[in-house]
């Protein structure tokens, strides 16, 4: 009989409703008290900056970057709030770069046993059932991936 | 908030399935979870035109035999692991993914668990066609279990 092991889980969260749903679903249906959770957040600047402004004005660029950071902080607070409400201890990783790539790389570096992701996130075109980040994770992860469909 | 779930585990005779089931039992299974295994035997209907009826019957019998073996093996594995609610469904069909998704709805399952690849998959791809299709058509969470290379 195989012994039951404690599992290291990485939950990819971008602050979107599908990612919050994935977190809740994981806690309700999969989480075990011995499991350790890492929340990976990759700010996706492409989906935050709505207006493509090309400018060489340093003041404007600085202002835009500040706005972006404020948006990222908002999302991180949202995620932290969710975690606090649920009351589970998590480690939060803020990563950079291409979201899919960063998440898979982090899962390898942190030697996690499983990745949890929603089906879509912030930036996805509503036409597709599976967002590009989730799609990337599924195709490149070397560990099991839980894909939580959000109705 | 934790409550028992009904889990549908899709299996075939591959090593991937074996790893998948063990992984589920070791890492994911929670006491009270109801486990339903589903196996869709290989479909030989398309080959009917190309083969002799005798050969076709041979292959069909082989599939049936393998299906029964799987049923015995996995039912025993799950029961030995302490599960009280284990079911094994064998359902024939041309498209395994649609059978799996339909079963997940009929049985009111909470999650589908399956290997990333099965028997027929070309080794080049990281995700087999059945897993890929189930992922795209399922309305409930799907756990895709990749077998480590080593």
């Amino acid at each position: 009989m195989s012994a039951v092991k404690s599992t290291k889980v990485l939950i990819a969260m971008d602050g979107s409703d599908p990612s919050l749903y994935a977190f809740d679903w994981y806690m309700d249906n999969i989480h075990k008290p011995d499991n350790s959770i890492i929340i990976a957040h990759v700010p996706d600047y492409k989906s935050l900056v709505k207006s493509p402004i090309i400018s060489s004005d340093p003041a404007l660029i600085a202002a835009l970057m500040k706005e972006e950071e404020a948006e990222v902080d908002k999302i991180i607070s949202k995620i932290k709030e969710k975690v606090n409400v649920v009351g589970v201890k998590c480690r939060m990783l803020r990563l950079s770069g291409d979201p899919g790539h960063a998440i898979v790389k982090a899962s390898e570096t942190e030697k996690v046993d499983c990745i949890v992701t929603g089906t879509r996130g912030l930036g996805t075109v509503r036409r597709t059932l599976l967002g590009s980040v989730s799609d990337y994770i599924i195709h490149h992860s070397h560990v099991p991936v839980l894909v939580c469909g959000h109705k | 908030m934790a409550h028992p779930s009904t889990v549908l585990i899709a299996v075939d005779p591959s090593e991937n399935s074996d790893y998948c089931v063990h992984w589920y039992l070791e890492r994911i299974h929670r006491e009270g979870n109801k486990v339903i295994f589903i196996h869709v035997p290989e479909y030989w209907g398309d080959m009917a035109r190309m083969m002799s009826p005798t050969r076709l019957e041979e292959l069909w019998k082989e599939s049936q035999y393998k299906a029964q073996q799987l049923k015995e093996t996995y039912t025993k594995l799950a029961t030995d692991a302490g599960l009280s609610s284990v079911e094994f469904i064998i359902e024939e069909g041309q498209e395994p993914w649609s059978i799996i998704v339909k079963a997940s709805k009929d049985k009111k399952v909470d999650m589908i668990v399956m290997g990333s690849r099965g028997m027929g998959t070309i080794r080049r791809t990281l995700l087999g066609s059945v897993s890929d299709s189930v992922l795209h058509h399922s309305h409930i969470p799907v756990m895709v279990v990749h077998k480590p290379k080593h």
Side-chain angles (χ1 to χ4, degrees), chain A residues 1-8 21 24-32 35 86 113-115 129-130 135 137-151, chain B residues 1-5 19 22-30 33 77 80-82 110-112 126-127 132 135-149:
Chain A
M1 180 176 131
S2 7
V4 175
K5 300 177 185 164
S6 83
T7 305
K8 202 167 177 189
Y21 176 81
D24 278 338
W25 199 91
Y26 161 79
M27 288 305 305
D28 278 347
N29 296 277
I30 310 286
H31 186 68
K32 291 200 244 191
N35 287 7
V86 169
D113 300 301
C114 178
I115 300 175
L129 258 177
L130 204 64
D135 196 58
I137 295 172
I138 292 158
H139 284 88
H140 293 83
S141 170
H142 292 287
V143 294
V145 182
L146 175 65
V147 183
C148 291
H150 185 210
K151 283 180 217 74
Chain B
M1 267 202 290
H3 60 81
S5 325
Y19 180 82
H22 278 98
W23 194 85
Y24 165 79
L25 290 171
E26 285 171 21
R27 302 259 185 212
I28 305 297
H29 180 73
R30 292 201 308 204
N33 277 7
L77 186 67
D80 283 352
D110 298 304
M111 168 173 74
I112 298 172
L126 262 174
L127 194 69
D132 198 47
L135 262 170
H136 283 89
H137 291 89
S138 172
H139 294 283
I140 54 171
V142 179
M143 174 88 78
V144 180
V145 181
H146 295 85
K147 181 174 182 287
K149 280 181 233 162

Side-chain angles (χ1 to χ4, degrees), chain A residues 2-21:
Chain A
S2 7
V4 175
K5 300 177 185 164
S6 83
T7 305
K8 202 167 177 189
V9 180
L10 184 143
I11 307 181
M13 294 185 78
D14 64 355
S16 65
D17 284 344
S19 74
L20 294 173
Y21 176 81

Side-chain angles (χ1 to χ4, degrees), chain B residues 63-102:
Chain B
S63 293
Q64 295 299 308
Y65 175 73
K66 277 193 194 151
Q68 285 305 315
Q69 290 282 83
L70 278 180
K71 180 172 180 173
E72 272 171 40
T73 309
Y74 286 128
T75 306
K76 184 176 190 296
L77 186 67
T79 320
D80 283 352
L83 274 68
S84 50
S85 178
V86 182
E87 207 185 314
F88 196 104
I89 305 171
I90 298 172
E91 189 150 340
E92 314 232 15
Q94 203 168 351
E95 290 189 326
W97 74 261
S98 76
I99 307 239
I100 293 165
V101 172
K102 185 169 180 294

Side-chain angles (χ1 to χ4, degrees), chain A residues 47-61:
Chain A
S47 61
L48 290 173
V49 178
K50 309 288 176 192
S51 46
I53 296 175
I54 302 166
S55 170
S56 55
D57 178 1
L60 181 57
I61 292 172

